Amino acid sequence: MPVTGPGGTPPAAGPAPAGQARSAILTVDDDPGVSRAVARDLRRRYGEKHRILRAESGGDALNALRRLKLRGDLVAVILADYRMPQMNGIEFLEEAMDVYPGARRVLLTAYADTGAAIDAINKVDLDHYLLKPWDPPEEKLYPVVDAMLDAWLASDHQPVPETKVVGHRWSARSSAVREFLARNQVPYRWYSADQPEGQRLLAAAGSDGRALPVVITADGSVLVEPVDAELAGQVGLATTPSKDFYDLIVIGGGPAGLGAAVYGASEGLRTILVERTATGGQAGQSSRIENYLGFPDGVSGAQLTDRARRQAAKFGAEVLTARDVVGLEVRGSARGVRFADGTTVDAHTVILATGVSYRQLDAPGVEELTGRGVYYGSTLTEAAACAGQDVYIVGGANSAGQAAVYLARHARSVTLLVRGRSLEKSMSYYLIQQIAGIGSISIRTCTEVVAAAGGDHLESLTLRDTSTGTTQTVDAQLLFVFIGAAPLTDWLDGVVARDSRGFVLAGPDLAAEGNRPSGWVPDRAPYHLETSVPGVFVAGDARAESAKRVASAVGEGAMAVMLVHRYLEKA
Ligand SMILES: Cc1cc2nc3c(=O)[nH]c(=O)nc-3n(C[C@H](O)[C@H](O)[C@H](O)COP(=O)(O)OP(=O)(O)OC[C@H]3O[C@@H](n4cnc5c(N)ncnc54)[C@H](O)[C@@H]3O)c2cc1C
């Protein structure tokens, strides 16, 4: 059952109307009678100042929180029942914490579950547990919620004016800006330029609406069609190193880079991580990672990597976003990294954790419609736009399978277009099973996209059946592409040895028949993750022969730091 607002109606899907800055109180209980009763009691006392939302499962409540987050809405208090099937109240609150760390958390328990509630105080930083029944609410419920609201208001999570993005649904740059903000966990509110509120904002910003998007930051600055670096600087993301010299520069903020930053900083190395777009890398775009150790119920990539980013920052790593590294220089014992704007930063050591980037779908019309109905990744940002739509996904590997499962929750139908004869060779068994259990997903094997067409947005796809050679044109507004990835490492050319596909060679893979790499000076063989340049290491998907998994990327990030220590001790 979905989340409902006042009077049992679902909360509005679009941005909140102008002037509506009410923070939400969310309650989740699998018993519909109890759920209604809690919401009714809350509404009676807090309904005027707060939006009261209720859900009947942890999953629905999390979806609602994520939607609220994307819209930049505020959540003040979350009340969760402990005993719920699939996901209990503590598990739910643990995940909810990642979405709204500042919201106050209350667990509703029966007397028999007091022990679990006490455990939850440590696990999910529980603010309060409330024994059921809570009648009369004046005595048992309201004093608790009052105290929670006071604490929330006194904290720095009280309402902050959020960034506003005014754009066009089918503008590629509008879509990229939303993706950038969402992936960097910057709350924003989206306004369509053809809606009255969007037009009012454009007028206030002095824009005629011809150049979109227009971004209005929390302090009221207006940015027209901003590039990522400009946007990052204005919304408070660090973009400039605070020092000239570090012990360790980590390039790339995916799982490998975040792993390296956490271990490097926690072990006392002056560490800086430099990321081109947003931390999280490929993993940050995964709707559900189910095979990462320690998360038996799966974890969204955004959640996992946001935790890692916070962890790296907690240990003192500097994290720069929207900074593209375009060169690596060796200057004596220093290793220098050059940014796209020509500035540089130096360190004793470097870890390359640049992963891989989506391969582009090569068919007429696709490039022109990218960001306007054709998306690479982006499933999390565009999910809301899929509501009631027929969605196509190209790809037969796990990333495509995860996207299909995730988008099936929103879309009317999802069609997976797979070039091979079956999914078995390319997709994990658990995902194939999940897909088989979802009626709205269909699979077209032996199928490739040969053209995309449309005016200001995607309108149709031409599909070819590779077994018969026949083509068919289908109406389509949304196409998500997951057709593998390539390392974008050309900028390392002539400095670091790579294989024929651009993956970085390291350790034993560097030594042709036992020989050391050409130009190698130290009186030792390269360490396991060390590249052809001493003191420069590689971790994760960018490494030749790597496993292409979150766990191995994180592990290699940690291991590379251990080798950095060894290098520094002997240098
Ligand atoms: C949709 C999806 C679902 C997935 N699901 C799973 C799963 O369920 N389980 C699993 O184990 N694996 C999964 N994977 C694979 C997993 O995400 C990757 O193996 C993992 O992210 C690799 O981590 P990495 O840090 O090596 O590289 P990446 O995650 O690719 O991160 C590299 C980062 O480096 C940045 N970068 C690149 N070049 C530069 C540069 N020159 N300057 C600055 N920054 C740069 C990029 O912007 C990127 O953020 C999935 C992948 C995708 C795409």
Side-chain angles (χ1 to χ4, degrees):
M1 141 129 196
V3 173
T4 54
T9 53
Q20 181 187 322
R22 290 187 306 162
S23 47
I25 299 177
L26 174 78
T27 160
V28 47
D29 196 309
D30 65 310
D31 179 331
V34 177
S35 170
R36 270 195 295 272
V38 184
R40 184 200 57 220
D41 286 345
L42 289 171
R43 202 164 291 127
R44 192 144 52 87
R45 179 159 171 121
Y46 305 105
E48 221 172 86
K49 290 198 179 151
H50 300 272
R51 287 170 73 195
I52 311 298
L53 303 175
R54 72 178 182 89
E56 290 177 12
S57 75
D60 281 347
L62 282 174
N63 284 337
L65 287 177
R66 290 190 192 112
R67 278 200 302 273
L68 291 167
K69 183 77 180 178
L70 268 184
R71 290 179 351 199
D73 288 353
L74 295 157
V75 176
V77 181
I78 303 173
L79 298 100
D81 184 35
Y82 171 59
R83 276 188 189 254
M84 295 190 288
Q86 278 124 31
M87 182 186 278
N88 71 32
I90 299 174
E91 288 160 349
F92 159 71
L93 286 173
E94 192 177 14
E95 294 205 24
M97 237 168 102
D98 289 319
V99 190
Y100 278 103
R104 299 287 140 169
R105 295 173 278 275
V106 180
L107 194 69
L108 302 174
T109 59
Y111 182 71
D113 295 320
T114 313
I118 291 168
D119 287 346
I121 290 172
N122 289 328
K123 192 164 176 198
V124 297
D125 212 1
L126 194 67
D127 294 295
H128 202 94
Y129 66 89
L130 197 63
L131 289 182
K132 296 202 282 189
W134 61 89
D135 272 309
E138 283 71 16
E139 271 177 43
K140 296 192 176 155
L141 179 67
Y142 296 156
V144 172
V145 177
D146 283 350
M148 296 294 107
L149 285 171
D150 285 349
W152 181 76
L153 277 170
S155 71
D156 54 2
H157 301 292
Q158 46 187 298
V160 281
E162 70 285 309
T163 298
K164 301 174 185 67
V165 181
V166 189
H168 191 273
R169 168 84 186 90
W170 299 119
S171 132
R173 188 60 201 149
S174 298
S175 162
V177 161
R178 293 175 73 181
E179 174 96 3
F180 178 83
L181 293 173
R183 286 184 58 194
N184 277 297
Q185 318 282 330
V186 177
Y188 73 91
R189 195 168 290 219
W190 163 256
Y191 297 86
S192 177
D194 44 26
Q195 297 286 316
E197 185 58 14
Q199 286 166 357
R200 275 194 284 275
L201 284 168
L202 288 177
S207 155
D208 60 9
R210 264 184 273 184
L212 290 173
V214 169
V215 178
I216 302 156
T217 62
D219 66 3
S221 311
V222 174
L223 310 171
V224 180
E225 288 186 292
V227 295
D228 287 354
E230 193 185 359
L231 196 54
Q234 287 287 340
V235 297
L237 298 168
T239 53
T240 320
S242 70
K243 304 180 184 66
D244 295 332
F245 199 89
Y246 294 81
D247 294 319
L248 169 63
I249 301 172
V250 180
I251 308 174
L258 288 167
V262 166
Y263 284 93
S266 68
E267 291 166 14
L269 297 174
R270 290 169 297 163
T271 303
I272 185 167
L273 181 150
V274 184
E275 165 56 47
R276 169 191 286 156
T277 47
T279 49
Q282 299 165 73
Q285 297 175 51
S286 165
S287 48
R288 194 137 207 93
I289 297 169
E290 304 213 36
N291 55 2
Y292 187 61
L293 191 74
F295 292 87
D297 301 317
V299 58
S300 84
Q303 225 179 87
L304 183 71
T305 53
D306 180 50
R307 284 182 181 206
R309 183 186 53 77
R310 285 192 270 137
Q311 202 172 4
K314 183 187 91 173
F315 285 123
E318 266 179 54
V319 177
L320 305 189
T321 33
R323 295 306 301 264
D324 201 0
V325 174
V326 297
L328 177 70
E329 289 154 16
V330 179
R331 299 190 209 103
S333 66
R335 307 285 173 258
V337 156
R338 190 158 29 83
F339 297 116
D341 65 0
T343 57
T344 56
V345 62
D346 289 1
H348 289 302
T349 58
V350 170
I351 294 179
L352 303 168
T354 48
V356 292
S357 299
Y358 291 116
R359 200 167 277 141
Q360 307 292 302
L361 178 62
D362 187 16
V366 168
E367 194 181 333
E368 295 80 349
L369 291 163
T370 297
R372 299 190 286 123
V374 176
Y375 301 98
Y376 290 86
S378 312
T379 42
L380 300 174
T381 323
E382 294 299 326
C386 296
Q389 301 274 345
D390 299 314
V391 171
Y392 289 83
I393 296 174
V394 193
N398 282 1
S399 49
Q402 282 178 6
V405 171
Y406 183 70
L407 293 178
R409 291 193 218 150
H410 304 265
R412 179 169 57 188
S413 74
V414 174
T415 307
L416 205 52
L417 306 171
V418 184
R419 226 177 10 188
R421 292 189 168 279
S422 75
L423 288 176
E424 269 70 24
K425 274 197 185 151
S426 52
M427 195 179 285
S428 295
Y429 178 71
Y430 79 90
L431 265 176
I432 296 177
Q433 295 297 102
Q434 276 183 25
I435 287 173
I438 302 174
S440 57
I441 304 181
S442 50
I443 301 165
R444 287 179 68 151
T445 53
C446 301
T447 302
E448 57 187 20
V449 175
V450 290
D456 70 343
H457 67 276
L458 177 68
E459 288 166 24
S460 68
L461 293 172
T462 304
L463 309 177
R464 193 169 81 92
D465 183 327
T466 53
S467 60
T468 62
T470 53
T471 59
Q472 181 195 6
T473 299
V474 294
D475 289 342
Q477 291 212 320
L478 291 157
L479 174 73
F480 294 90
V481 184
F482 294 91
I483 52 167
L488 301 182
T489 53
D490 290 354
W491 58 279
L492 291 170
D493 210 17
V495 184
V496 170
R498 296 170 302 142
D499 72 8
S500 58
R501 293 185 299 152
F503 289 98
V504 177
L505 294 163
D509 292 333
L510 274 168
E513 290 161 13
N515 296 326
R516 304 235 162 114
S518 75
W520 182 261
V521 178
D523 185 23
R524 59 168 175 83
Y527 296 132
H528 192 66
L529 297 177
E530 198 169 25
T531 69
S532 58
V533 177
V536 176
F537 299 81
V538 60
D541 282 15
R543 186 175 67 79
E545 308 300 328
S546 60
K548 314 286 184 288
R549 289 281 183 272
V550 176
S552 49
V554 172
E556 288 188 11
M559 182 174 171
V561 168
M562 187 268 283
L563 297 171
V564 161
H565 284 298
R566 193 179 295 173
Y567 170 85
L568 289 174
E569 275 159 25
K570 307 224 164 128

